[in-house]
Amino acid sequence: MKKWIVIAGSVLVVGFVGYQWIPSPLSTQTVSAQVRSAVVQKGTLNINISGSGTVQAVTSYDIKSKFANNEIDEVLAAVGESVKEGDELITFSDGSDPVTSPATGVITSLAVSAGERVTNGQVVAHVTNYNKLQTVVQIDELDIAKIKKKQPVELSINAFPDQVFTGKVAAISDEGTSSNGVSTFAVTIHIDKPDQLKVGMSAEARILTESKKDALYVPLDAVYTSKQEKYVVINSKIAGGTVSGNEKKTVQTGLANEDYVEITKGVTAGETVKLPQLAKASVSTNSSGNNQVSIFGGMGNAGRINRNFSGRGVN
């Protein structure tokens, strides 16, 4: 009798434990995908090419001795002192021509003193002009042909996040540098008003390569491609703003940047175009009140987004 009682008790315990491991029923609720749209805009569409670099001095020279074994009579400048181009910096005991400053600026280093002897080509001092600053950015080989001298540039400096500085393209390297199979070219940008800037600050440059006024444009992902045809989906509306249906319109595109693409034919300003839906979310709630979120779906079947437009860069 006791043996059957033990067996029966064991069965009840196993059954109870097994019940605890059975997942609680889930109630699933699907959150509808967000409907997205944009208005066809009319305005100036800018095409920019971006590059990063650091702030540098336009003028920065090592000053070298042209004499061998000449004894220095007097050093006429000090570190931190402002000098002008042609100022005497060092004189020699034997009356040789003095060392002069090759540029206007500030003496940032001085490597000799009176009584020492110098060798030909020895660096005796350094001069830097902090009133004229520049940055040198690396531009991809696919974009370098679009860069021209005197093109306007907007500069973002990390140290001044709320300010925009301006400049112009001053020089374009004739030789590129290759890394991992990609070549880049150095582009020098002179900064217009660098009063607050210091050498070594990080800079992001946006070089304006093309601009079009009164252009019609939409977000890039508003344009779809199907069998080499580009089209947008227009949201048709009736009185009260209710959407009555969608109309597919074939379009022709022009300039483009990383955000917008110009529509040269097929739409008018003020029309509303449909954008791809965001991914749908499925929220499941078990009996314990815990939520589980699953992402499914995506762009829908409207077509692939076409990003192969003319122009590169960031607006």
Side-chain angles (χ1 to χ4, degrees):
M1 184 67 179
K2 291 183 179 180
K3 179 179 179 179
W4 285 107
I5 293 176
V6 172
I7 293 174
S10 299
V11 170
L12 289 174
V13 170
V14 171
F16 176 77
V17 172
Y19 172 79
Q20 294 299 315
W21 281 97
I22 295 175
S24 301
L26 296 177
S27 60
T28 302
Q29 179 181 5
T30 300
V31 179
S32 300
Q34 180 182 353
V35 177
R36 302 168 62 236
S37 63
V39 176
V40 178
Q41 300 182 60
K42 183 177 183 179
T44 301
L45 184 63
N46 292 330
I47 308 302
N48 296 297
I49 293 175
S50 298
S52 57
T54 56
V55 176
Q56 305 173 6
V58 174
T59 303
S60 186
Y61 289 114
D62 279 335
I63 304 171
K64 299 179 180 180
S65 167
K66 298 179 181 180
F67 304 101
N69 205 36
N70 284 20
E71 183 181 0
I72 296 174
D73 178 48
E74 189 176 4
V75 177
L76 303 175
V79 173
E81 182 179 343
S82 297
V83 295
K84 294 181 179 180
E85 182 179 354
D87 282 355
E88 293 186 0
L89 305 178
I90 298 171
T91 59
F92 296 99
S93 301
D94 62 1
S96 300
D97 291 339
V99 175
T100 60
S101 177
T104 297
V106 175
I107 299 297
T108 56
S109 68
L110 196 59
V112 294
S113 57
E116 293 183 4
R117 292 185 178 274
V118 295
T119 58
N120 188 20
Q122 177 183 346
V123 176
V124 296
H126 190 93
V127 62
T128 302
N129 188 343
Y130 293 110
N131 294 322
K132 296 181 179 180
L133 301 181
Q134 65 183 19
T135 185
V136 179
V137 300
Q138 298 297 320
I139 300 299
D140 189 279
E141 60 183 326
L142 299 177
D143 293 322
I144 195 63
K146 302 168 189 172
I147 306 296
K148 309 295 180 185
K149 287 185 178 181
K150 297 185 179 180
Q151 284 176 333
V153 182
E154 288 188 347
L155 293 151
S156 298
I157 308 297
N158 288 349
F160 301 97
D162 299 325
Q163 292 182 246
V164 176
F165 295 83
T166 60
K168 286 183 174 61
V169 175
I172 304 164
S173 176
D174 291 327
E175 295 185 12
T177 302
S178 181
S179 177
N180 297 323
V182 177
S183 292
T184 58
F185 292 78
V187 174
T188 302
I189 298 163
H190 285 182
I191 303 172
D192 293 333
K193 296 179 180 179
D195 300 343
Q196 305 175 72
L197 304 183
K198 295 184 180 298
V199 171
M201 287 183 172
S202 299
E204 181 74 22
R206 296 177 298 279
I207 305 170
L208 180 62
T209 59
E210 200 167 354
S211 181
K212 186 172 182 179
K213 296 181 179 179
D214 297 325
L216 294 178
Y217 58 91
V218 296
L220 276 178
D221 56 356
V223 180
Y224 302 91
T225 297
S226 176
K227 298 180 180 179
Q228 299 184 341
E229 176 192 36
K230 296 176 184 177
Y231 66 92
V232 297
V233 178
I234 301 294
N235 283 341
S236 302
K237 293 185 178 181
I238 59 176
T242 303
V243 177
S244 60
N246 295 319
E247 178 186 0
K248 176 182 172 182
K249 280 190 175 183
T250 301
V251 296
Q252 294 180 6
T253 59
L255 298 178
N257 56 37
E258 288 187 356
D259 299 313
Y260 299 99
V261 57
E262 178 192 11
I263 306 296
T264 59
K265 185 177 180 180
V267 298
T268 58
E271 288 186 299
T272 301
V273 295
K274 187 177 181 180
L275 301 180
Q277 293 181 341
L278 298 176
K280 299 178 182 179
S282 174
V283 181
S284 300
T285 306
N286 58 27
S287 59
S288 301
N290 296 321
N291 292 335
Q292 299 174 357
V293 180
S294 301
I295 303 298
F296 63 94
M299 307 301 289
N301 297 319
R304 295 180 60 190
I305 300 173
N306 181 6
R307 297 180 181 273
N308 297 318
F309 304 112
S310 61
R312 293 163 62 93
V314 180
N315 184 29

